Amino acid sequence: MPIPTNFERPRRLTAKENAFQQIQEWIIDGTLKPSEKLNDVELAKALGVSRTPVRESLQLLEVQGFVEMFPGKATQVTEVEKDTITDLLPPLAVLQALSAELAIPNLTDETIQLLEETNKKFAEAIHDKQFFNALKIDEAFHQIIGDTANNPYITSLVSNLQAHVRRLFFHNSIVLTESSIQEHADIIRLMKNGEGENASSIMRGNWLRAIEEFRSLKN
């Protein structure tokens, strides 16, 4: 059987990275519920690792605001405060807007095509009301732009903030609408034309609109 040789080999994750990613995912999707107490022995057994990478992962998750550790007492999942969307999205919007500007000099025809194809998949997911799939595709769309911007500091900050966006999505604070389809298309067009300021403005609005939609749901 022919085996391709020019594929990108996945990076081997450490036990700590694997533990961190899985525990974070369980917190985000609600498998580990808000205020639930975490037992590092049970987590280590479930993940097939020692307690050390689990403890290190929990420490990092505390820094990121997903768990709260009480030395000598307990470690528990933090509560979900839906109103934090008003604090979360503005800095994320600024970083994503900056990424759109920084990506322009590095754009290729292949990148533009990939963005257009990704937005097409996003539109299909929205129209089919597959909203979690749409969320993942939306992340992929913005990740393409972030990767093209090639700024590791922005990438690191966005990754942390985006994880909280996913958690709020699972707790119904964030909704995805058809408006994002056209905004994505506008961002692609403006980036392709080298209109960094305008692309940045649309990108910022794309993220901040979710705050207004959240407020309208509350009223």
Side-chain angles (χ1 to χ4, degrees), residues 188-219:
I188 296 170
R189 173 178 55 80
L190 292 167
M191 290 175 62
K192 184 178 180 180
N193 293 339
E195 299 181 45
E197 186 174 341
N198 290 333
S200 176
S201 178
I202 298 295
M203 178 71 86
R204 188 180 296 108
N206 175 247
W207 285 95
L208 295 180
R209 179 170 45 76
I211 296 177
E212 298 306 317
E213 290 168 349
F214 169 70
R215 286 172 175 163
S216 68
L217 289 174
K218 288 180 62 179
N219 297 331

Side-chain angles (χ1 to χ4, degrees), residues 92-108 111-112 115 141-142 144-151 154 158 186-205 207:
L92 183 54
V94 170
L95 290 168
Q96 296 283 15
L98 180 57
S99 290
E101 288 192 70
L102 295 178
I104 289 176
N106 304 323
L107 279 179
T108 64
T111 304
I112 292 294
L115 286 168
F141 177 86
H142 292 286
I144 294 166
I145 295 174
D147 289 345
T148 306
N150 194 28
N151 186 303
I154 294 177
V158 166
D186 291 340
I187 290 166
I188 296 170
R189 173 178 55 80
L190 292 167
M191 290 175 62
K192 184 178 180 180
N193 293 339
E195 299 181 45
E197 186 174 341
N198 290 333
S200 176
S201 178
I202 298 295
M203 178 71 86
R204 188 180 296 108
W207 285 95

Side-chain angles (χ1 to χ4, degrees), residues 116-130:
E116 290 173 342
E117 291 173 352
T118 303
N119 194 38
K120 181 179 179 181
K121 293 177 182 177
F122 175 75
E124 291 171 352
I126 289 290
H127 292 150
D128 292 340
K129 300 187 185 304
Q130 300 293 323

Side-chain angles (χ1 to χ4, degrees), residues 6 9 13 35 44 69 90 145 147 156 165 168 217-219:
N6 60 342
R9 290 170 173 79
L13 299 180
S35 77
M69 304 180 79
I145 295 174
D147 289 345
S156 177
V165 168
L168 286 175
L217 289 174
K218 288 180 62 179
N219 297 331

